[in-house]
Amino acid sequence: MIHLDNVSKTYRSKEVLEPFTLTIREGSSVGIIGPNGAGKSTFLKLVASLDKPTSGKLSFDGKPYGKVVRRLRTEIGYVPQDIALYEELTVKEQIAFWRKLEKKKVDEDFLQKMIRMLRLDEVYSQRVDQLSGGWRRKVNLCVGLMRNPRICLLDEPTAGVDLAAKEDILAWLKQLHQEGRTLLYISHDWYELKKLSDEFLLFAERKPIFQGSQREWSEKRSTLIDRYGADQDLRRILEFS
Amino acid sequence: MLTYLSLHLNKWKKRPFLSLLLFCFPLLATLLLYPVFENTAEETAVPIAIVDEDNSDYSETILERTRGAERLRFTEMEAGEAEDAVRKGTMEAAFILEDGLQEALNDGDVRDVVTWVRSDEALFDVYAKEAIGAEVMRLALNAKAANAIDEDFDEAFAYSDSFWEPAPLFQMDFTERSPDNPDVEVPKLAAWHVMAIQLFFLYGWVLGIFFLRELIADEKEGRLQRIRLIQQTTVRYFASHFVLFCLVGAGSFLLGLGALFYLADITQVLVQAWLVRSLIVFAITLLVTWCLFMGTGRKRWMVPVLVLLALASFLLTVTSTGITGIWPHSWLVGRGGLG
């Protein structure tokens, strides 16, 4: 579905992603993990077409990004790590505003279902800046996915969220995956990743160093520790898995 | 456009008092401070004491007519009191309408009918002398004309006086023109009106610049990225925000300008001239500001830099320092003689 061929990214002569090649299958749920600064968020932005690679090519359904970027953007739902919302607005106003911006008609049934699943109707008339971190994350998620996307790109959607809110978010994402959507999901929490992902993507040293199923992960884990164990942060991630 | 307008209206609605206050500040300042400034302007008029020793119809007429003189503030006093006031400097000069004034004027004699008492420091009392002198001459000429014919004196006097209304006969009709643009007649505003307009212009400009912080925040907090993904492009976002930037700045400025023109009771010609000129200068200023902001990559430091530019424009124009022609404030008041 999405193929990255020898893709790299450099910001002001600093290489943040070394050249790598990988493929994301349609309908897969890929859990992305790795130490800070390993290039996970940059990778997600490249896939979302929010950034351009310094070298290499990306393709979507077999066609280069440059030719299908408009269609691709209608198929993608991106949830950034930042709470990218107008915080002075109420949840209701927030959803209304972003819905108006959408080029294609928002699937009202899908949106209402998401609002119910995330229990946003409980805080509908409250201002976003008066909500707790968990609620804000949920609103951020709702706005990012309100277009009923085919591909969901999620950058730490549960960071700083309490357990109850986390369960709501995970249940909703699980449902999206079960309905056939493709999920790319960055997290530092193995519990979430194992619950949600059928595939792991491990980033280290500015490139993906592992991509495979949970079973493959279990098989290669000790090899990875031997090979990359010198990096303390990475070692901890591998040991905690 | 309307989507972004409703977004910002919703945001402003959360702090309605502050938002309204910021937007309507020039309007409110004008409504509240206009009477104060108007009184101050009146108080800066040249203080002149006038003494009526004759207590006649003629002296009463002179008092009445000089009362409305521009830039002069006549106060009626007793002779001793007036001389004291001039000595102390509270009055720049005193004019005593001497006893027998009416009788002398009826005889066509204008000598020794008014005494002029002035301090050594007096400068502007000559305007008062001109004003009183003109009224005395008018009465004297009317009386002389009435005496010259054998008709009823009062009737002849009134007939002669009618030639002074609405303006004196043979009065020169001067037309003021700008040295820069001789084809354009110079409409004029009071100096403090021009200063107020310059302040409103500065305020509107700075308010617009502060609105630009919204764009910086949208980019920094990831909302612009989200908009790019949703709308495929950011052209509509920037176009809408440019319009809103202009509406915020120019709207606030025009409210202040409108209130000022309404209270100052300025002629239609002058209002039109100022409105057209102000709108053109404001549009150019905002466009240049926008280009500078966008051209330098919408950096946070650009906001204080633009505010400093706006302040420099105001201060350097007002104080006529340096090359004033490059600043928007000088375009507003400098050329075409609008000031």
Side-chain angles (χ1 to χ4, degrees):
Chain A
M1 181 190 203
I2 293 173
H3 182 68
L4 295 92
D5 184 16
N6 213 23
V7 164
S8 73
K9 181 67 191 176
T10 303
Y11 285 119
R12 291 178 189 156
S13 74
K14 190 188 173 192
E15 194 168 46
V16 290
L17 274 176
E18 289 180 9
F20 67 94
T21 298
L22 65 79
T23 301
I24 308 293
R25 286 180 298 107
E26 171 120 46
S28 61
S29 173
V30 182
I32 304 166
I33 193 163
N36 290 329
K40 304 181 298 293
S41 294
T42 307
F43 163 73
L44 217 57
K45 280 182 187 169
L46 288 175
V47 174
S49 78
L50 290 171
D51 219 338
K52 284 182 179 169
T54 310
S55 68
K57 286 176 185 167
L58 288 98
S59 56
F60 173 61
D61 287 344
K63 289 177 184 136
Y65 258 35
K67 289 191 176 169
V68 290
V69 70
R70 285 190 164 271
R71 183 167 72 82
L72 171 79
R73 284 181 175 174
T74 63
E75 307 269 16
I76 279 178
Y78 176 69
V79 180
Q81 194 176 349
D82 299 318
I83 305 288
L85 301 169
Y86 289 101
E87 303 217 348
E88 304 92 328
L89 304 187
T90 64
V91 175
K92 187 181 177 182
E93 289 166 343
Q94 194 81 237
I95 290 172
F97 167 72
W98 291 103
R99 187 162 57 177
K100 268 193 235 165
L101 281 194
E102 287 285 353
K103 276 180 88 75
K104 67 175 187 181
K105 200 171 180 297
V106 169
D107 180 344
E108 198 59 39
D109 291 341
F110 175 79
L111 180 59
Q112 290 309 322
K113 193 168 149 190
M114 178 156 59
I115 288 169
R116 272 198 312 277
M117 282 291 287
L118 297 173
R119 297 189 291 124
L120 288 178
D121 39 359
E122 292 174 24
V123 290
Y124 223 47
S125 55
Q126 286 187 40
R127 280 171 61 153
V128 173
D129 55 6
Q130 288 166 355
L131 296 175
S132 68
W135 285 112
R136 286 154 76 150
R137 283 274 166 212
K138 284 187 191 179
V139 181
N140 199 34
L141 183 78
C142 178
V143 169
L145 302 183
M146 65 164 54
R147 52 179 31 192
N148 192 2
R150 209 173 124 200
I151 308 155
C152 306
L153 307 176
L154 308 126
D155 195 345
E156 299 190 40
T158 58
V161 166
D162 63 64
L163 199 61
K166 190 179 278 190
E167 286 303 328
D168 288 341
I169 292 173
L170 291 180
W172 174 240
L173 294 178
K174 189 86 186 165
Q175 187 171 330
L176 292 180
H177 180 222
Q178 282 166 352
E179 288 171 3
R181 291 174 189 84
T182 306
L183 259 61
L184 271 81
Y185 178 97
I186 296 177
S187 177
H188 292 290
D189 185 340
W190 278 110
Y191 164 76
E192 284 174 34
L193 289 168
K194 285 181 176 170
K195 191 166 181 179
L196 202 61
S197 318
D198 49 30
E199 202 174 287
F200 293 145
L201 183 59
L202 174 65
F203 273 80
E205 297 173 355
R206 301 186 298 280
K207 62 178 182 292
I209 58 167
F210 173 84
Q211 184 184 15
S213 65
Q214 292 209 24
R215 192 172 53 80
E216 286 172 301
W217 173 262
S218 303
E219 288 168 7
K220 289 189 179 172
R221 183 171 160 263
S222 51
T223 317
L224 287 166
I225 292 174
D226 290 344
R227 192 167 169 192
Y228 296 100
D231 181 337
Q232 286 298 312
D233 293 340
L234 185 57
R235 188 181 187 89
R236 277 191 200 138
I237 290 170
L238 293 167
E239 284 175 352
F240 281 133
S241 66
Chain B
M1 167 66 200
L2 287 176
T3 309
Y4 290 107
L5 177 64
S6 68
L7 164 73
H8 288 288
L9 285 176
N10 268 329
K11 284 167 73 176
W12 295 330
K13 250 171 34 190
K14 309 297 172 196
R15 284 175 295 181
F17 182 72
L18 182 68
S19 306
L20 265 178
L21 183 70
L22 284 174
F23 188 69
C24 300
F25 182 74
L27 170 73
L28 297 173
T30 308
L31 294 178
L32 290 173
L33 297 177
Y34 190 88
V36 177
F37 276 99
E38 201 179 30
N39 286 341
T40 310
E42 272 175 24
E43 279 161 18
T44 55
V46 182
I48 302 291
I50 190 156
V51 181
D52 185 2
E53 298 273 79
D54 194 41
N55 290 314
S56 61
D57 289 346
Y58 284 7
S59 62
E60 192 61 39
T61 305
I62 293 169
L63 291 181
E64 202 171 297
R65 285 178 182 162
T66 49
R67 218 168 272 148
E70 278 182 32
R71 296 188 182 87
L72 297 170
R73 182 160 45 85
F74 284 99
T75 310
E76 285 175 52
M77 291 182 175
E78 294 299 322
E81 197 186 352
E83 282 175 21
D84 263 2
V86 173
R87 205 172 295 121
K88 286 177 190 164
T90 52
M91 291 288 157
E92 192 142 335
F95 290 87
I96 302 164
L97 309 180
E98 296 291 354
D99 189 17
L101 175 134
Q102 182 162 337
E103 207 177 321
L105 292 184
N106 278 339
D107 293 341
D109 184 3
V110 292
R111 285 171 302 170
D112 303 327
V113 291
V114 181
T115 306
W116 181 13
V117 183
R118 63 189 311 232
S119 68
D120 295 340
E121 292 82 28
L123 280 174
F124 301 107
D125 56 338
V126 287
Y127 297 114
K129 184 192 129 199
E130 294 298 325
I132 291 170
E135 294 308 328
V136 170
M137 285 309 293
R138 176 174 169 177
L139 292 167
L141 288 171
N142 290 343
K144 197 145 187 127
N147 283 327
I149 55 172
D150 292 335
E151 301 288 328
D152 176 53
F153 181 88
D154 290 340
E155 198 180 324
F157 187 95
Y159 181 73
S160 172
D161 197 52
S162 69
F163 289 99
W164 296 80
E165 298 292 347
L169 200 61
F170 306 125
Q171 180 176 272
M172 282 293 296
D173 185 15
F174 290 99
T175 305
E176 294 176 56
R177 293 193 189 280
S178 158
D180 296 331
N181 194 352
D183 297 332
V184 178
E185 198 170 322
V186 183
K188 282 211 168 167
L189 281 180
W192 76 272
H193 288 160
V194 176
M195 178 60 79
I197 291 170
Q198 285 180 301
L199 278 169
F200 297 159
F201 188 87
L202 172 69
Y203 183 85
W205 191 3
V206 171
L207 195 66
I209 293 169
F210 276 109
F211 177 75
L212 295 176
R213 294 187 312 168
E214 301 275 344
L215 279 81
I216 298 171
D218 282 351
E219 185 154 22
K220 192 170 175 286
E221 291 161 23
R223 291 185 289 268
L224 183 63
Q225 208 168 52
R226 182 165 258 172
I227 287 166
R228 186 180 295 132
L229 195 67
I230 289 175
Q231 295 211 300
Q232 310 265 359
T233 169
T234 50
V235 172
R236 257 180 294 172
Y237 168 83
F238 284 116
S240 302
H241 277 81
F242 174 68
V243 175
L244 286 170
F245 161 69
C246 293
L247 282 178
V248 167
S252 178
F253 170 67
L254 287 176
L255 279 179
L257 200 65
L260 181 74
F261 286 164
Y262 177 73
L263 292 174
D265 196 18
I266 292 165
T267 63
Q268 192 70 27
V269 176
L270 201 51
V271 170
Q272 275 175 4
W274 269 97
L275 269 181
V276 170
R277 183 172 196 86
S278 303
L279 280 175
I280 292 170
V281 173
F282 214 97
I284 294 169
T285 306
L286 292 180
L287 187 65
V288 170
T289 306
W290 179 265
C291 290
L292 280 172
F293 179 68
M294 298 296 283
T296 50
R298 306 186 295 279
K299 295 282 186 288
R300 189 175 286 272
W301 53 261
M302 202 53 202
V303 171
V305 168
L306 289 170
V307 170
L308 281 176
L309 274 177
L311 281 171
S313 169
F314 171 71
L315 292 172
L316 296 179
T317 302
V318 167
T319 57
S320 301
T321 310
I323 311 162
T324 51
I326 59 168
W327 301 111
H329 277 88
S330 73
W331 307 340
L332 186 68
V333 297
R335 295 184 203 142
L338 275 172

